[in-house]
Amino acid sequence: MEAEHHQEASNAIGSLGSLYVKVMTDEQMELLRQQISVYATICEQLVEMHKAVTTQQDLAGLRLGNLYCDSLMACSGHKITARQRWTPTPLQLQILERIFDEGNGTPSKQKIKEITIELGQHGQISETNVYNWFQNRRARSKRKQLAPASNVEPEAETEVESPREKKIRAENVQVIQPFENSSSPHRIKDMYIHSPDLGFEQLMSKIEVAGCYSSYFL
Amino acid sequence: MEAEHHQEASNAIGSLGSLYVKVMTDEQMELLRQQISVYATICEQLVEMHKAVTTQQDLAGLRLGNLYCDSLMACSGHKITARQRWTPTPLQLQILERIFDEGNGTPSKQKIKEITIELGQHGQISETNVYNWFQNRRARSKRKQLAPASNVEPEAETEVESPREKKIRAENVQVIQPFENSSSPHRIKDMYIHSPDLGFEQLMSKIEVAGCYSSYFL
DNA sequence: CACCTATGAATGAATG
DNA sequence: CATTCATTCATAGGTG
């Protein structure tokens, strides 16, 4: 049980430089691509359906997790307050990410205000939140290049060392996938926009198909 | 029946060789795996939520919650993909502890780099790992001092640095934790029980993440 | 297997 | 901006 380590791979890949590589055939790659695409579409549509269904029956404020503290929370007896610190809703996050991707820099004071107002449509938020978010976002996206694994594995690994002991991190991915203006999330949107009214049953069947494919990878 | 990990895929390099292959780093591979898994899970849950919403209107949350897990999860057979996280080897841990005790309360960037290189001799590690370790180490070592509130321990012994002695009283934890149950394989089930809408938000955030990653492949 | 704890990692906010 | 803190999430591993 030994693993083939290809040292020269680091040069080929460049600064990313991982010594371990996985190999996929075009076939597998295509399959993957299909599957992800299917899932992405399904998820988006399901979300829309869910929204549509829930919107008609619930009142705006209910969405906040205030209701859940009824049974389970009551007995334990700690505070009912939600979170102390702000947490962006998915929708807010999406908008923020978009702005960040195109914004190219630190949003001005005025920008912040606008953004805050816009995001206010989707949940409680303050300018400080937005400000902090951009601060952190920028700082952390910058720290991505700092960890190109030092896989100079010596033969010292005598035990049943398995290469799976790897770190995976979003920052690393961003290196290979600098989604700037080009690889925007618009693709996904477009996808489900183009297929307007899929029946629920159709979605279900697609899920089955997708699940079938994915079983290989899971 | 065991979940097949593809950790040995690197072996394939030798045999498949250099014909036409797609090369992925472990990070990419793992990311992919995660993403697919996320989508799969999201889809299932969304479907269930949809069903619940369209079917219910009668506080059947609890009942449904249990039902989902039993049927769907068991049926599909895949779990939320585990993210593989770095685990320090005993040797690394020993070194880290030593450095920590040495009083270098400030593991500056440069230090981190050095430490990482040193630890790299004993196993896979990245600067981020080291960084996180010190962050956590410091934070929890501090919290430990504040924790013994309910602990009427007469033996005013010097605080122990032993990594096996890091127990925190359940009472204290309760105070800190708002409503979240600690993590467990039943996370999904609990989510439903607590609040379907909360679950929805979490799903949304996951979708956003997944979608973001997948944009590269679509 | 179910449950729990220790701990790696993510992130909003604070500080310099 | 760069760093650090505080809190929370999520998982590996241990135990009954």
Side-chain angles (χ1 to χ4, degrees):
Chain A
M1 301 316 206
E2 40 65 20
E4 291 268 291
H5 296 315
H6 283 225
Q7 307 274 350
E8 72 280 1
S10 58
N11 292 332
I13 301 181
S15 59
L16 224 198
S18 171
L19 295 175
Y20 298 148
V21 290
K22 303 295 185 183
V23 181
M24 299 184 75
T25 64
D26 279 346
E27 198 177 345
Q28 292 173 309
M29 200 62 173
E30 180 55 29
L31 189 66
L32 246 185
R33 197 174 282 144
Q34 284 180 27
Q35 198 213 327
I36 294 175
S37 174
V38 168
Y39 269 135
T41 308
I42 292 171
C43 285
E44 293 288 349
Q45 296 190 28
L46 281 171
V47 168
E48 291 307 312
M49 294 173 71
H50 179 87
K51 281 188 197 165
V53 171
T54 51
T55 296
Q56 65 189 20
Q57 61 153 16
D58 101 299
L59 318 174
L62 286 183
R63 185 181 52 76
L64 273 182
N66 287 330
L67 292 182
Y68 57 69
C69 42
D70 43 10
S71 56
L72 285 178
M73 291 306 98
C75 60
S76 54
H78 31 70
K79 54 183 178 180
I80 304 179
T81 57
R83 301 158 191 272
Q84 315 171 11
R85 73 179 188 185
W86 166 75
T87 302
T89 68
L91 205 50
Q92 287 175 332
L93 194 63
Q94 184 180 346
I95 297 175
L96 284 170
E97 287 289 351
R98 179 174 51 75
I99 296 175
F100 180 82
D101 284 341
E102 63 191 25
N104 311 318
T106 310
S108 65
K109 190 75 178 175
Q110 183 55 33
K111 261 289 203 196
I112 296 282
K113 232 182 253 296
E114 296 176 15
I115 296 172
T116 302
I117 293 176
E118 180 180 355
L119 294 183
Q121 307 300 313
H122 308 297
Q124 195 57 49
I125 193 174
S126 75
E127 293 183 29
T128 307
N129 297 138
V130 177
Y131 175 77
N132 284 332
W133 190 89
F134 277 97
Q135 287 286 91
N136 284 311
R137 188 66 177 75
R138 171 168 276 282
R140 279 161 183 151
S141 81
K142 191 179 278 186
R143 193 170 55 173
K144 61 178 184 281
Q145 295 125 340
L146 294 184
S150 55
N151 290 348
V152 237
E153 82 292 333
E155 307 307 316
E157 321 290 337
T158 45
E159 42 181 319
V160 209
E161 177 71 52
S162 66
R164 77 179 170 89
E165 180 171 327
K166 305 275 307 173
K167 59 165 178 51
I168 38 84
R169 194 182 322 291
E171 289 95 283
N172 293 333
V173 177
Q174 287 179 335
V175 176
I176 60 168
Q177 173 205 330
F179 28 52
E180 347 167 13
N181 320 333
S182 54
S183 69
S184 60
H186 301 325
R187 295 244 206 129
I188 300 180
K189 302 282 185 222
D190 293 341
M191 197 180 316
Y192 75 79
I193 288 177
H194 286 170
S195 49
D197 264 344
L198 270 183
F200 187 71
E201 290 72 17
Q202 281 181 276
L203 283 180
M204 286 299 290
S205 67
K206 287 193 176 188
I207 285 181
E208 285 187 15
V209 172
C212 159
Y213 289 152
S214 66
S215 60
Y216 176 76
F217 298 98
L218 298 182
Chain B
M1 237 61 96
E2 37 69 62
E4 51 277 270
H5 289 52
H6 303 272
Q7 55 198 48
E8 65 287 347
S10 52
N11 292 338
I13 298 174
S15 47
L16 286 183
S18 51
L19 293 183
Y20 64 103
V21 289
K22 302 295 184 181
V23 180
M24 301 184 74
T25 64
D26 276 348
E27 287 82 5
Q28 291 173 305
M29 198 60 172
E30 175 59 25
L31 187 70
L32 244 185
R33 220 164 65 87
Q34 281 184 51
Q35 197 214 327
I36 294 174
S37 177
V38 166
Y39 268 133
T41 306
I42 289 171
C43 285
E44 289 178 355
Q45 296 188 31
L46 279 171
V47 167
E48 289 310 310
M49 293 171 74
H50 180 84
K51 283 187 196 166
V53 167
T54 52
T55 299
Q56 45 91 323
Q57 315 305 17
D58 58 2
L59 59 111
L62 184 67
R63 178 182 58 83
L64 291 174
N66 291 325
L67 226 53
Y68 302 161
C69 258
D70 290 344
S71 57
L72 256 170
M73 283 323 181
C75 167
S76 57
H78 60 245
K79 55 266 172 182
I80 300 175
T81 294
R83 177 182 55 189
Q84 298 152 12
R85 68 181 190 185
W86 167 74
T87 304
T89 67
L91 202 50
Q92 288 176 331
L93 194 62
Q94 187 178 342
I95 297 175
L96 284 170
E97 288 288 351
R98 178 175 54 75
I99 296 175
F100 182 81
D101 288 338
E102 278 175 3
N104 292 327
T106 311
S108 64
K109 215 132 194 174
Q110 187 52 37
K111 289 276 188 186
I112 296 282
K113 228 181 259 295
E114 297 174 13
I115 297 172
T116 302
I117 293 177
E118 180 180 354
L119 294 183
Q121 306 303 311
H122 308 298
Q124 303 299 319
I125 195 173
S126 75
E127 292 181 31
T128 307
N129 297 138
V130 178
Y131 174 80
N132 284 332
W133 190 88
F134 277 97
Q135 284 286 107
N136 285 312
R137 189 67 177 76
R138 212 177 318 147
R140 300 212 239 252
S141 140
K142 180 184 293 181
R143 180 186 303 198
K144 196 180 66 174
Q145 294 178 338
L146 305 179
S150 61
N151 186 355
V152 274
E153 195 60 38
E155 45 179 355
E157 199 172 292
T158 318
E159 71 170 282
V160 259
E161 296 293 332
S162 136
R164 298 286 85 88
E165 203 62 19
K166 300 279 185 156
K167 287 195 178 293
I168 299 179
R169 294 294 185 209
E171 298 89 299
N172 297 328
V173 175
Q174 270 188 334
V175 176
I176 301 173
Q177 290 179 343
F179 64 91
E180 269 298 332
N181 57 315
S182 73
S183 53
S184 74
H186 302 310
R187 186 173 79 268
I188 297 175
K189 192 191 306 178
D190 292 338
M191 192 160 60
Y192 280 112
I193 295 177
H194 286 178
S195 159
D197 286 319
L198 179 62
F200 183 68
E201 285 192 17
Q202 291 183 8
L203 284 180
M204 283 296 291
S205 70
K206 284 174 189 267
I207 285 180
E208 185 53 37
V209 172
C212 155
Y213 291 154
S214 66
S215 60
Y216 178 75
F217 298 98
L218 296 181

